[in-house]
Amino acid sequence: MIPAAAHHARWDNLTSKCSMANVEVDFNHVETKDEAADELSSLSSGCSIPVVHLSADVLDSGSLNLLTEETCQSSIFTELPVLSEGEQDTLAATPVHPAGLHALYASYVFGNLVEQLWNFAWPAALAILHPSLLPVAVVGFFTKLSIFIGAPIVGRLMDHFPRLPTYQSLNAIQATTQLLSAAMIIYALKNVKHISTSAVLLQPWFIVLVVAGAIERLCGLALGVTVERDWIVLLAGADRPVALAQANAVLNRVDLLCEVAGASVFGFLLSKFDPVTCLKMACGLMICTLPILLILGQIINILSSRALDRYRVPCDKSAAADILLDARKIVENGLETIKHGWKEYKHQPVLPASVATVLLYFNVALAPGAIMTALLMHHGISPSIIGCFSGLCSLMGFTATFISSSLVKRLGILKAGAAGLIFQALLLTVAVAAYWTGSISQKIPLMIFLSSIVLSRLGHMSYDVVGTQILQTGIPISKANLIGTTEVSIASLAEFLMLGVAIIANDVSHFGFLALLSVSSVAGASWMFCRWLANPTEEQRKLFVFDWQFEAID
């Protein structure tokens, strides 16, 4: 914001230097100096008006035309620089704040590594504590529930509070809840012996673990949305598509690498030490990482010319205080915020792209995960093959982060997204056909089935990167967190529903039905996105005016 004093200073400079051209002057009535002084005395003393004394020879001359045609033609306003195609490509690939963007990458590495390590550590420790999957499932259930309910509320609060204090507070809360959860599990490992499953669920330490886990996931979600939907757009530039695509690709690579590294590190520690020692080491890493994240947040702001100090919307504090501090209306405000989040989500200009992203979350069968692992184990597939399959899926995802930026450069943002979705849908169709036409216990059908799913991850991750950029471009910065968290909330609901179907159809013989639902959701996402792409609105044209392939959509 520009201070009021600066506005007055600029206006004074403007008025004292303005010129008049082709002014008609009535000389029938010329006031004397005393008459002019009397009229001017009625004006405010703070208003300075220059008095011009015209001599007779000046009045006779034609010099009142102060701006001639030549001076207008030589004005700098008639000479606008036009960039060549090569210069435009270079500008599109250059981030607005490159130094701040690299600091953001460093912050993302530290934060994501700890988060992924903890995501692997707590279920592994609970599995050691109790052989049943129910404790892990209960924690996961309430985590998904908290995301579905709380994500829009957290997103709205984030949109109304300053960026940097919000980021630092979320990091502190997340680290605190992680340490609290670790303390509860360590307590249980030391004191709980041979207890029934139902008794575990009623233990005070387990209730604290559930609550802390839900808060920790909400904070992790909020931090992810902050970085991926808000900060990276400010630092890379919403109108620099190649730079933004490359930045999104880097974040996805970091995410995949940290996912592999976090699981590998904690798995290695478990093979060398007892679970309590491993959890204490993880706690030490969390404590050391927190100040690094807080310092890096300040560094990012400094290197980006204080871009993070800007407010997203005016009058932030009063609106946020109404939601956060009024305890008497906390339920009413919470429900109103959820309703508002869904309303804003429904009216976003890139809704089909967001719905396509949500539909991909229905694919729980034809993707690496618990259901696929159970299927392969049931058919007697070697664990080494299953591990190789999961590793290749991660490798394809990592490779897709490099392909996505090239797709954006060659096809444009919108067509790159369509290409990723269509590629994934076609390969998953091949996988379903291989499953239905031959037993995957045989070598050739198995190889076709698994290879198709592995290659489909290229399309999945390509759209994940490109789709994120489409949403970054289309969603107003003042609503980025609210709409982003609402989308994650709906995606969590989609996973919820499919897992419910999987629980009902829990026999392996029903996998074909789950596979048809999964490929149908991906095909539906492709159809919806391509239909939106083929019928662009005026608002869509304005949002993606920099997309050099956009005119080809018609």
PDB file of all heavy atoms in Angstrom, residues 397-433:
ATOM      1  N   GLY A 397       6.660 -41.534 -11.775  1.00  0.00           N
ATOM      2  CA  GLY A 397       6.204 -40.250 -11.251  1.00  0.00           C
ATOM      3  C   GLY A 397       7.311 -39.217 -11.251  1.00  0.00           C
ATOM      4  O   GLY A 397       7.100 -38.048 -11.592  1.00  0.00           O
ATOM      5  N   PHE A 398       8.512 -39.633 -10.872  1.00  0.00           N
ATOM      6  CA  PHE A 398       9.661 -38.728 -10.877  1.00  0.00           C
ATOM      7  C   PHE A 398       9.983 -38.284 -12.298  1.00  0.00           C
ATOM      8  O   PHE A 398      10.274 -37.108 -12.554  1.00  0.00           O
ATOM      9  CB  PHE A 398      10.858 -39.426 -10.244  1.00  0.00           C
ATOM     10  CG  PHE A 398      12.059 -38.549 -10.055  1.00  0.00           C
ATOM     11  CD1 PHE A 398      12.121 -37.631  -9.021  1.00  0.00           C
ATOM     12  CD2 PHE A 398      13.128 -38.634 -10.932  1.00  0.00           C
ATOM     13  CE1 PHE A 398      13.231 -36.815  -8.853  1.00  0.00           C
ATOM     14  CE2 PHE A 398      14.244 -37.825 -10.773  1.00  0.00           C
ATOM     15  CZ  PHE A 398      14.290 -36.914  -9.733  1.00  0.00           C
ATOM     16  N   THR A 399       9.923 -39.221 -13.260  1.00  0.00           N
ATOM     17  CA  THR A 399      10.202 -38.883 -14.655  1.00  0.00           C
ATOM     18  C   THR A 399       9.171 -37.909 -15.199  1.00  0.00           C
ATOM     19  O   THR A 399       9.495 -37.013 -15.994  1.00  0.00           O
ATOM     20  CB  THR A 399      10.206 -40.167 -15.511  1.00  0.00           C
ATOM     21  OG1 THR A 399      11.149 -41.094 -14.966  1.00  0.00           O
ATOM     22  CG2 THR A 399      10.575 -39.869 -16.956  1.00  0.00           C
ATOM     23  N   ALA A 400       7.923 -38.063 -14.770  1.00  0.00           N
ATOM     24  CA  ALA A 400       6.852 -37.189 -15.263  1.00  0.00           C
ATOM     25  C   ALA A 400       7.081 -35.736 -14.888  1.00  0.00           C
ATOM     26  O   ALA A 400       6.634 -34.830 -15.603  1.00  0.00           O
ATOM     27  CB  ALA A 400       5.508 -37.666 -14.717  1.00  0.00           C
ATOM     28  N   THR A 401       7.771 -35.493 -13.785  1.00  0.00           N
ATOM     29  CA  THR A 401       8.024 -34.103 -13.394  1.00  0.00           C
ATOM     30  C   THR A 401       8.942 -33.404 -14.385  1.00  0.00           C
ATOM     31  O   THR A 401       8.904 -32.172 -14.502  1.00  0.00           O
ATOM     32  CB  THR A 401       8.645 -34.048 -11.990  1.00  0.00           C
ATOM     33  OG1 THR A 401       9.900 -34.753 -11.986  1.00  0.00           O
ATOM     34  CG2 THR A 401       7.726 -34.686 -10.969  1.00  0.00           C
ATOM     35  N   PHE A 402       9.784 -34.167 -15.087  1.00  0.00           N
ATOM     36  CA  PHE A 402      10.627 -33.583 -16.127  1.00  0.00           C
ATOM     37  C   PHE A 402       9.848 -33.418 -17.430  1.00  0.00           C
ATOM     38  O   PHE A 402      10.055 -32.465 -18.172  1.00  0.00           O
ATOM     39  CB  PHE A 402      11.857 -34.468 -16.378  1.00  0.00           C
ATOM     40  CG  PHE A 402      12.814 -34.518 -15.227  1.00  0.00           C
ATOM     41  CD1 PHE A 402      12.728 -35.524 -14.275  1.00  0.00           C
ATOM     42  CD2 PHE A 402      13.796 -33.553 -15.076  1.00  0.00           C
ATOM     43  CE1 PHE A 402      13.614 -35.581 -13.206  1.00  0.00           C
ATOM     44  CE2 PHE A 402      14.681 -33.595 -14.007  1.00  0.00           C
ATOM     45  CZ  PHE A 402      14.588 -34.613 -13.076  1.00  0.00           C
ATOM     46  N   ILE A 403       8.941 -34.360 -17.696  1.00  0.00           N
ATOM     47  CA  ILE A 403       8.182 -34.313 -18.942  1.00  0.00           C
ATOM     48  C   ILE A 403       7.159 -33.182 -18.928  1.00  0.00           C
ATOM     49  O   ILE A 403       6.893 -32.559 -19.962  1.00  0.00           O
ATOM     50  CB  ILE A 403       7.478 -35.668 -19.170  1.00  0.00           C
ATOM     51  CG1 ILE A 403       8.517 -36.769 -19.379  1.00  0.00           C
ATOM     52  CG2 ILE A 403       6.532 -35.613 -20.356  1.00  0.00           C
ATOM     53  CD1 ILE A 403       7.921 -38.157 -19.499  1.00  0.00           C
ATOM     54  N   SER A 404       6.584 -32.900 -17.767  1.00  0.00           N
ATOM     55  CA  SER A 404       5.480 -31.946 -17.694  1.00  0.00           C
ATOM     56  C   SER A 404       5.870 -30.556 -18.186  1.00  0.00           C
ATOM     57  O   SER A 404       5.109 -29.916 -18.918  1.00  0.00           O
ATOM     58  CB  SER A 404       4.951 -31.869 -16.257  1.00  0.00           C
ATOM     59  OG  SER A 404       5.983 -31.480 -15.364  1.00  0.00           O
ATOM     60  N   SER A 405       7.054 -30.077 -17.792  1.00  0.00           N
ATOM     61  CA  SER A 405       7.467 -28.738 -18.238  1.00  0.00           C
ATOM     62  C   SER A 405       7.678 -28.699 -19.746  1.00  0.00           C
ATOM     63  O   SER A 405       7.373 -27.690 -20.394  1.00  0.00           O
ATOM     64  CB  SER A 405       8.744 -28.308 -17.505  1.00  0.00           C
ATOM     65  OG  SER A 405       9.776 -29.255 -17.701  1.00  0.00           O
ATOM     66  N   SER A 406       8.177 -29.808 -20.326  1.00  0.00           N
ATOM     67  CA  SER A 406       8.328 -29.871 -21.785  1.00  0.00           C
ATOM     68  C   SER A 406       6.963 -29.883 -22.469  1.00  0.00           C
ATOM     69  O   SER A 406       6.779 -29.267 -23.527  1.00  0.00           O
ATOM     70  CB  SER A 406       9.117 -31.121 -22.176  1.00  0.00           C
ATOM     71  OG  SER A 406      10.411 -31.095 -21.622  1.00  0.00           O
ATOM     72  N   LEU A 407       5.999 -30.579 -21.880  1.00  0.00           N
ATOM     73  CA  LEU A 407       4.652 -30.599 -22.442  1.00  0.00           C
ATOM     74  C   LEU A 407       4.037 -29.204 -22.441  1.00  0.00           C
ATOM     75  O   LEU A 407       3.396 -28.792 -23.418  1.00  0.00           O
ATOM     76  CB  LEU A 407       3.761 -31.557 -21.645  1.00  0.00           C
ATOM     77  CG  LEU A 407       3.940 -33.054 -21.893  1.00  0.00           C
ATOM     78  CD1 LEU A 407       3.069 -33.850 -20.932  1.00  0.00           C
ATOM     79  CD2 LEU A 407       3.607 -33.415 -23.332  1.00  0.00           C
ATOM     80  N   VAL A 408       4.225 -28.471 -21.354  1.00  0.00           N
ATOM     81  CA  VAL A 408       3.693 -27.114 -21.279  1.00  0.00           C
ATOM     82  C   VAL A 408       4.325 -26.230 -22.349  1.00  0.00           C
ATOM     83  O   VAL A 408       3.638 -25.421 -22.993  1.00  0.00           O
ATOM     84  CB  VAL A 408       3.927 -26.526 -19.867  1.00  0.00           C
ATOM     85  CG1 VAL A 408       3.591 -25.038 -19.840  1.00  0.00           C
ATOM     86  CG2 VAL A 408       3.091 -27.267 -18.837  1.00  0.00           C
ATOM     87  N   LYS A 409       5.609 -26.403 -22.556  1.00  0.00           N
ATOM     88  CA  LYS A 409       6.319 -25.568 -23.535  1.00  0.00           C
ATOM     89  C   LYS A 409       5.882 -25.895 -24.964  1.00  0.00           C
ATOM     90  O   LYS A 409       5.765 -25.015 -25.815  1.00  0.00           O
ATOM     91  CB  LYS A 409       7.827 -25.773 -23.379  1.00  0.00           C
ATOM     92  CG  LYS A 409       8.661 -24.761 -24.133  1.00  0.00           C
ATOM     93  CD  LYS A 409      10.132 -24.890 -23.768  1.00  0.00           C
ATOM     94  CE  LYS A 409      10.964 -23.820 -24.473  1.00  0.00           C
ATOM     95  NZ  LYS A 409      12.398 -23.916 -24.110  1.00  0.00           N
ATOM     96  N   ARG A 410       5.629 -27.186 -25.242  1.00  0.00           N
ATOM     97  CA  ARG A 410       5.292 -27.601 -26.604  1.00  0.00           C
ATOM     98  C   ARG A 410       3.796 -27.473 -26.905  1.00  0.00           C
ATOM     99  O   ARG A 410       3.413 -27.080 -28.014  1.00  0.00           O
ATOM    100  CB  ARG A 410       5.728 -29.049 -26.819  1.00  0.00           C
ATOM    101  CG  ARG A 410       7.234 -29.238 -26.866  1.00  0.00           C
ATOM    102  CD  ARG A 410       7.588 -30.710 -27.011  1.00  0.00           C
ATOM    103  NE  ARG A 410       9.026 -30.901 -27.099  1.00  0.00           N
ATOM    104  CZ  ARG A 410       9.725 -30.858 -28.225  1.00  0.00           C
ATOM    105  NH1 ARG A 410       9.092 -30.627 -29.359  1.00  0.00           N
ATOM    106  NH2 ARG A 410      11.022 -31.032 -28.231  1.00  0.00           N
ATOM    107  N   LEU A 411       2.950 -27.820 -25.944  1.00  0.00           N
ATOM    108  CA  LEU A 411       1.514 -27.880 -26.192  1.00  0.00           C
ATOM    109  C   LEU A 411       0.742 -26.731 -25.575  1.00  0.00           C
ATOM    110  O   LEU A 411      -0.393 -26.479 -25.982  1.00  0.00           O
ATOM    111  CB  LEU A 411       0.941 -29.205 -25.653  1.00  0.00           C
ATOM    112  CG  LEU A 411       1.541 -30.496 -26.218  1.00  0.00           C
ATOM    113  CD1 LEU A 411       0.911 -31.699 -25.532  1.00  0.00           C
ATOM    114  CD2 LEU A 411       1.358 -30.565 -27.725  1.00  0.00           C
ATOM    115  N   GLY A 412       1.326 -26.060 -24.592  1.00  0.00           N
ATOM    116  CA  GLY A 412       0.569 -25.107 -23.809  1.00  0.00           C
ATOM    117  C   GLY A 412       0.006 -25.796 -22.575  1.00  0.00           C
ATOM    118  O   GLY A 412      -0.083 -27.022 -22.505  1.00  0.00           O
ATOM    119  N   ILE A 413      -0.411 -25.006 -21.586  1.00  0.00           N
ATOM    120  CA  ILE A 413      -0.842 -25.563 -20.304  1.00  0.00           C
ATOM    121  C   ILE A 413      -2.063 -26.459 -20.459  1.00  0.00           C
ATOM    122  O   ILE A 413      -2.103 -27.587 -19.957  1.00  0.00           O
ATOM    123  CB  ILE A 413      -1.159 -24.425 -19.315  1.00  0.00           C
ATOM    124  CG1 ILE A 413       0.094 -23.607 -19.028  1.00  0.00           C
ATOM    125  CG2 ILE A 413      -1.713 -24.982 -18.015  1.00  0.00           C
ATOM    126  CD1 ILE A 413      -0.170 -22.408 -18.150  1.00  0.00           C
ATOM    127  N   LEU A 414      -3.083 -25.990 -21.171  1.00  0.00           N
ATOM    128  CA  LEU A 414      -4.347 -26.700 -21.224  1.00  0.00           C
ATOM    129  C   LEU A 414      -4.227 -28.011 -21.980  1.00  0.00           C
ATOM    130  O   LEU A 414      -4.707 -29.065 -21.530  1.00  0.00           O
ATOM    131  CB  LEU A 414      -5.411 -25.805 -21.855  1.00  0.00           C
ATOM    132  CG  LEU A 414      -5.650 -24.478 -21.127  1.00  0.00           C
ATOM    133  CD1 LEU A 414      -6.673 -23.635 -21.866  1.00  0.00           C
ATOM    134  CD2 LEU A 414      -6.118 -24.726 -19.708  1.00  0.00           C
ATOM    135  N   LYS A 415      -3.587 -27.996 -23.125  1.00  0.00           N
ATOM    136  CA  LYS A 415      -3.439 -29.230 -23.902  1.00  0.00           C
ATOM    137  C   LYS A 415      -2.491 -30.215 -23.224  1.00  0.00           C
ATOM    138  O   LYS A 415      -2.646 -31.432 -23.370  1.00  0.00           O
ATOM    139  CB  LYS A 415      -2.951 -28.900 -25.314  1.00  0.00           C
ATOM    140  CG  LYS A 415      -4.010 -28.251 -26.182  1.00  0.00           C
ATOM    141  CD  LYS A 415      -3.546 -28.114 -27.615  1.00  0.00           C
ATOM    142  CE  LYS A 415      -4.658 -27.557 -28.490  1.00  0.00           C
ATOM    143  NZ  LYS A 415      -4.254 -27.436 -29.906  1.00  0.00           N
ATOM    144  N   ALA A 416      -1.526 -29.708 -22.483  1.00  0.00           N
ATOM    145  CA  ALA A 416      -0.645 -30.602 -21.729  1.00  0.00           C
ATOM    146  C   ALA A 416      -1.435 -31.376 -20.676  1.00  0.00           C
ATOM    147  O   ALA A 416      -1.216 -32.574 -20.455  1.00  0.00           O
ATOM    148  CB  ALA A 416       0.484 -29.807 -21.075  1.00  0.00           C
ATOM    149  N   GLY A 417      -2.380 -30.683 -20.009  1.00  0.00           N
ATOM    150  CA  GLY A 417      -3.232 -31.370 -19.041  1.00  0.00           C
ATOM    151  C   GLY A 417      -4.093 -32.428 -19.689  1.00  0.00           C
ATOM    152  O   GLY A 417      -4.233 -33.550 -19.161  1.00  0.00           O
ATOM    153  N   ALA A 418      -4.670 -32.120 -20.850  1.00  0.00           N
ATOM    154  CA  ALA A 418      -5.490 -33.105 -21.562  1.00  0.00           C
ATOM    155  C   ALA A 418      -4.662 -34.306 -21.987  1.00  0.00           C
ATOM    156  O   ALA A 418      -5.120 -35.454 -21.902  1.00  0.00           O
ATOM    157  CB  ALA A 418      -6.136 -32.443 -22.773  1.00  0.00           C
ATOM    158  N   ALA A 419      -3.439 -34.074 -22.443  1.00  0.00           N
ATOM    159  CA  ALA A 419      -2.575 -35.174 -22.880  1.00  0.00           C
ATOM    160  C   ALA A 419      -2.277 -36.135 -21.729  1.00  0.00           C
ATOM    161  O   ALA A 419      -2.311 -37.359 -21.893  1.00  0.00           O
ATOM    162  CB  ALA A 419      -1.275 -34.606 -23.453  1.00  0.00           C
ATOM    163  N   GLY A 420      -2.004 -35.597 -20.538  1.00  0.00           N
ATOM    164  CA  GLY A 420      -1.718 -36.450 -19.387  1.00  0.00           C
ATOM    165  C   GLY A 420      -2.906 -37.309 -18.998  1.00  0.00           C
ATOM    166  O   GLY A 420      -2.763 -38.510 -18.721  1.00  0.00           O
ATOM    167  N   LEU A 421      -4.104 -36.719 -18.988  1.00  0.00           N
ATOM    168  CA  LEU A 421      -5.299 -37.466 -18.612  1.00  0.00           C
ATOM    169  C   LEU A 421      -5.629 -38.552 -19.628  1.00  0.00           C
ATOM    170  O   LEU A 421      -5.972 -39.689 -19.264  1.00  0.00           O
ATOM    171  CB  LEU A 421      -6.487 -36.510 -18.464  1.00  0.00           C
ATOM    172  CG  LEU A 421      -6.472 -35.601 -17.233  1.00  0.00           C
ATOM    173  CD1 LEU A 421      -7.602 -34.576 -17.319  1.00  0.00           C
ATOM    174  CD2 LEU A 421      -6.611 -36.422 -15.957  1.00  0.00           C
ATOM    175  N   ILE A 422      -5.564 -38.230 -20.913  1.00  0.00           N
ATOM    176  CA  ILE A 422      -5.877 -39.210 -21.961  1.00  0.00           C
ATOM    177  C   ILE A 422      -4.878 -40.358 -21.935  1.00  0.00           C
ATOM    178  O   ILE A 422      -5.261 -41.533 -22.056  1.00  0.00           O
ATOM    179  CB  ILE A 422      -5.901 -38.516 -23.335  1.00  0.00           C
ATOM    180  CG1 ILE A 422      -7.066 -37.527 -23.407  1.00  0.00           C
ATOM    181  CG2 ILE A 422      -6.005 -39.542 -24.455  1.00  0.00           C
ATOM    182  CD1 ILE A 422      -7.069 -36.655 -24.651  1.00  0.00           C
ATOM    183  N   PHE A 423      -3.606 -40.042 -21.759  1.00  0.00           N
ATOM    184  CA  PHE A 423      -2.566 -41.075 -21.697  1.00  0.00           C
ATOM    185  C   PHE A 423      -2.840 -42.034 -20.534  1.00  0.00           C
ATOM    186  O   PHE A 423      -2.757 -43.266 -20.687  1.00  0.00           O
ATOM    187  CB  PHE A 423      -1.203 -40.409 -21.536  1.00  0.00           C
ATOM    188  CG  PHE A 423      -0.047 -41.364 -21.601  1.00  0.00           C
ATOM    189  CD1 PHE A 423       0.419 -41.839 -22.815  1.00  0.00           C
ATOM    190  CD2 PHE A 423       0.584 -41.782 -20.433  1.00  0.00           C
ATOM    191  CE1 PHE A 423       1.492 -42.721 -22.869  1.00  0.00           C
ATOM    192  CE2 PHE A 423       1.650 -42.662 -20.475  1.00  0.00           C
ATOM    193  CZ  PHE A 423       2.114 -43.136 -21.707  1.00  0.00           C
ATOM    194  N   GLN A 424      -3.190 -41.508 -19.382  1.00  0.00           N
ATOM    195  CA  GLN A 424      -3.469 -42.350 -18.228  1.00  0.00           C
ATOM    196  C   GLN A 424      -4.709 -43.214 -18.461  1.00  0.00           C
ATOM    197  O   GLN A 424      -4.711 -44.419 -18.148  1.00  0.00           O
ATOM    198  CB  GLN A 424      -3.671 -41.487 -16.980  1.00  0.00           C
ATOM    199  CG  GLN A 424      -3.916 -42.298 -15.713  1.00  0.00           C
ATOM    200  CD  GLN A 424      -4.197 -41.433 -14.504  1.00  0.00           C
ATOM    201  OE1 GLN A 424      -4.319 -40.217 -14.615  1.00  0.00           O
ATOM    202  NE2 GLN A 424      -4.301 -42.047 -13.333  1.00  0.00           N
ATOM    203  N   ALA A 425      -5.771 -42.621 -19.013  1.00  0.00           N
ATOM    204  CA  ALA A 425      -7.004 -43.375 -19.241  1.00  0.00           C
ATOM    205  C   ALA A 425      -6.795 -44.516 -20.223  1.00  0.00           C
ATOM    206  O   ALA A 425      -7.299 -45.639 -20.021  1.00  0.00           O
ATOM    207  CB  ALA A 425      -8.095 -42.426 -19.746  1.00  0.00           C
ATOM    208  N   LEU A 426      -6.039 -44.280 -21.299  1.00  0.00           N
ATOM    209  CA  LEU A 426      -5.804 -45.325 -22.302  1.00  0.00           C
ATOM    210  C   LEU A 426      -5.023 -46.497 -21.710  1.00  0.00           C
ATOM    211  O   LEU A 426      -5.366 -47.668 -21.935  1.00  0.00           O
ATOM    212  CB  LEU A 426      -5.061 -44.735 -23.498  1.00  0.00           C
ATOM    213  CG  LEU A 426      -5.861 -43.772 -24.390  1.00  0.00           C
ATOM    214  CD1 LEU A 426      -4.974 -43.180 -25.475  1.00  0.00           C
ATOM    215  CD2 LEU A 426      -7.064 -44.479 -25.011  1.00  0.00           C
ATOM    216  N   LEU A 427      -3.980 -46.202 -20.950  1.00  0.00           N
ATOM    217  CA  LEU A 427      -3.161 -47.276 -20.390  1.00  0.00           C
ATOM    218  C   LEU A 427      -3.898 -48.057 -19.309  1.00  0.00           C
ATOM    219  O   LEU A 427      -3.739 -49.279 -19.189  1.00  0.00           O
ATOM    220  CB  LEU A 427      -1.857 -46.703 -19.844  1.00  0.00           C
ATOM    221  CG  LEU A 427      -0.849 -46.337 -20.938  1.00  0.00           C
ATOM    222  CD1 LEU A 427       0.285 -45.516 -20.375  1.00  0.00           C
ATOM    223  CD2 LEU A 427      -0.297 -47.593 -21.599  1.00  0.00           C
ATOM    224  N   LEU A 428      -4.724 -47.393 -18.520  1.00  0.00           N
ATOM    225  CA  LEU A 428      -5.507 -48.115 -17.522  1.00  0.00           C
ATOM    226  C   LEU A 428      -6.580 -48.977 -18.188  1.00  0.00           C
ATOM    227  O   LEU A 428      -6.942 -50.039 -17.653  1.00  0.00           O
ATOM    228  CB  LEU A 428      -6.145 -47.136 -16.535  1.00  0.00           C
ATOM    229  CG  LEU A 428      -5.181 -46.427 -15.579  1.00  0.00           C
ATOM    230  CD1 LEU A 428      -5.943 -45.540 -14.604  1.00  0.00           C
ATOM    231  CD2 LEU A 428      -4.333 -47.432 -14.807  1.00  0.00           C
ATOM    232  N   THR A 429      -7.081 -48.546 -19.334  1.00  0.00           N
ATOM    233  CA  THR A 429      -8.014 -49.387 -20.095  1.00  0.00           C
ATOM    234  C   THR A 429      -7.327 -50.665 -20.558  1.00  0.00           C
ATOM    235  O   THR A 429      -7.914 -51.762 -20.511  1.00  0.00           O
ATOM    236  CB  THR A 429      -8.561 -48.607 -21.302  1.00  0.00           C
ATOM    237  OG1 THR A 429      -9.198 -47.408 -20.846  1.00  0.00           O
ATOM    238  CG2 THR A 429      -9.563 -49.446 -22.075  1.00  0.00           C
ATOM    239  N   VAL A 430      -6.077 -50.552 -20.998  1.00  0.00           N
ATOM    240  CA  VAL A 430      -5.293 -51.731 -21.385  1.00  0.00           C
ATOM    241  C   VAL A 430      -5.097 -52.649 -20.176  1.00  0.00           C
ATOM    242  O   VAL A 430      -5.201 -53.886 -20.287  1.00  0.00           O
ATOM    243  CB  VAL A 430      -3.926 -51.303 -21.967  1.00  0.00           C
ATOM    244  CG1 VAL A 430      -3.026 -52.513 -22.202  1.00  0.00           C
ATOM    245  CG2 VAL A 430      -4.122 -50.530 -23.260  1.00  0.00           C
ATOM    246  N   ALA A 431      -4.832 -52.060 -18.997  1.00  0.00           N
ATOM    247  CA  ALA A 431      -4.631 -52.865 -17.786  1.00  0.00           C
ATOM    248  C   ALA A 431      -5.890 -53.642 -17.425  1.00  0.00           C
ATOM    249  O   ALA A 431      -5.830 -54.825 -17.077  1.00  0.00           O
ATOM    250  CB  ALA A 431      -4.204 -51.963 -16.629  1.00  0.00           C
ATOM    251  N   VAL A 432      -7.062 -52.985 -17.508  1.00  0.00           N
ATOM    252  CA  VAL A 432      -8.325 -53.660 -17.195  1.00  0.00           C
ATOM    253  C   VAL A 432      -8.605 -54.768 -18.207  1.00  0.00           C
ATOM    254  O   VAL A 432      -9.058 -55.865 -17.839  1.00  0.00           O
ATOM    255  CB  VAL A 432      -9.481 -52.638 -17.160  1.00  0.00           C
ATOM    256  CG1 VAL A 432     -10.827 -53.349 -17.043  1.00  0.00           C
ATOM    257  CG2 VAL A 432      -9.301 -51.673 -16.004  1.00  0.00           C
ATOM    258  N   ALA A 433      -8.322 -54.480 -19.494  1.00  0.00           N
ATOM    259  CA  ALA A 433      -8.517 -55.510 -20.517  1.00  0.00           C
ATOM    260  C   ALA A 433      -7.617 -56.716 -20.260  1.00  0.00           C
ATOM    261  O   ALA A 433      -8.048 -57.871 -20.416  1.00  0.00           O
ATOM    262  CB  ALA A 433      -8.235 -54.925 -21.901  1.00  0.00           C
TER     263      ALA A 433
END
